[in-house]
Amino acid sequence: MREGKIIVIVAPSGTGKSTLMSFIHKKFPSLKESISTTTRSPRDGEKHGTHYFFESVDIFKKQIEADDFLEWAEVHSNFYGTSKQFVEGEISQGHDLIFDIDVQGADSFKKYFDKKANVIFIEPPSVDILRERLLKRATDSSDVINERIKNAEQELLRKNDYDYCVMNDQLEDAQQNLQNIISEVLSND
Ligand code: ADP
Ligand code: 5GP
């Protein structure tokens, strides 16, 4: 049986990854999104088991000790991790998977899966525009936004280290570029 493909989307917070992920889900309904575990608090409307598995730091640490995660990272002062069992089970059944993870996670994916992981970096037009988008989204406090901007500046240094880089300036252009890349990845043997 054909093994499922692995597509990893990585972008500084506020770049438009969630917006682009909704588009990808509509265009490629068979692509399944991995549900990560996190220690951050749910935002309004987020549900346990749908957006994330929201766990305490104690439980997360027990899962690390039990070697449950294919990768985990501390991002913006919270822990996030990807379940090994979920990913290996799905790809062995031929299911194509998409991941929304940070640059540390993308690096771990490359180490673990090498060429099998297709990593797409989404780039904002500028750090100023990134700040504007985070302010406009209005989901985070100014301290959290400042921390995310500081991390974004570091993450942007890595933009050319992955398989693809897509600029999210005009949304329609970014959507089209992503659609072309994903179609190509899914059609490769
Ligand atoms: P992320 O998931 O990367 O943190 P979001 O998808 O939540 O980012 O986008 C952050 C904000 O920027 C949202 O308010 C979203 O509507 C807006 N946004 C996303 N893409 C664009 C774009 N190409 N042009 C202008 N605004 C955008
Ligand atoms: P948010 O708190 O905005 O949902 O996510 C913050 C950051 O954590 C984003 O960059 C997101 O991609 C990343 N992230 C989400 N899940 C995982 C995961 O399982 N592993 C890693 N390494 N990063 C993750």
Side-chain angles (χ1 to χ4, degrees):
M1 187 200 279
R2 163 193 176 277
E3 200 176 47
K5 304 278 184 191
I6 294 173
I7 297 174
V8 177
I9 306 284
V10 54
S13 179
T15 301
K17 195 162 49 168
S18 313
T19 308
L20 291 166
M21 287 294 265
S22 312
F23 166 82
I24 294 170
H25 286 310
K26 281 199 199 99
K27 285 284 166 192
F28 301 95
S30 66
L31 261 183
K32 199 164 173 178
E33 188 169 0
S34 164
I35 304 168
S36 299
T37 303
T38 184
T39 59
R40 86 150 159 76
S41 312
R43 296 187 184 125
D44 277 355
E46 284 186 334
K47 288 199 182 73
H48 180 83
T50 303
H51 299 89
Y52 282 106
F53 295 107
F54 296 98
E55 300 291 2
S56 66
V57 173
D58 269 4
I59 289 188
F60 196 96
K61 287 190 171 161
K62 286 203 176 93
Q63 290 178 320
I64 295 173
E65 276 163 31
D67 202 21
D68 285 352
F69 296 123
L70 185 157
E71 64 79 33
W72 65 270
E74 193 175 349
V75 190
H76 316 308
S77 312
N78 291 302
F79 291 111
Y80 294 83
T82 308
S83 156
K84 210 181 256 184
Q85 196 187 10
F86 173 85
V87 177
E88 284 172 351
E90 292 291 329
I91 60 171
S92 68
Q93 290 174 64
H95 298 156
D96 300 320
L97 293 179
I98 189 155
F99 297 84
D100 164 352
I101 56 179
D102 86 313
V103 290
Q104 305 166 77
D107 291 338
S108 303
F109 262 73
K110 271 291 178 197
K111 279 204 194 97
Y112 197 90
F113 288 111
D114 195 17
K115 289 202 177 94
K116 277 204 256 173
N118 300 278
V119 182
I120 310 173
F121 190 98
I122 315 284
E123 179 189 8
S126 69
V127 172
D128 284 345
I129 290 181
L130 190 64
R131 185 184 291 280
E132 275 171 29
R133 287 183 185 170
L134 284 168
L135 287 168
K136 183 182 135 209
R137 189 172 70 184
T139 52
D140 303 293
S141 68
S142 57
D143 281 355
V144 168
I145 290 181
N146 285 336
E147 187 180 14
R148 285 174 185 233
I149 293 290
K150 215 171 79 196
N151 290 340
E153 285 168 344
Q154 292 307 308
E155 288 168 4
L156 281 168
L157 301 174
R158 303 290 319 283
K159 68 176 188 176
N160 294 317
D161 294 347
Y162 301 106
D163 301 296
Y164 306 91
C165 183
V166 170
M167 160 81 76
N168 182 21
D169 187 357
Q170 295 305 314
L171 186 60
E172 293 73 22
D173 294 345
Q175 288 172 331
Q176 189 59 57
N177 287 341
L178 265 179
Q179 188 179 341
N180 294 346
I181 292 168
I182 294 172
S183 299
E184 184 192 308
V185 168
L186 295 182
S187 64
N188 285 341
D189 282 335

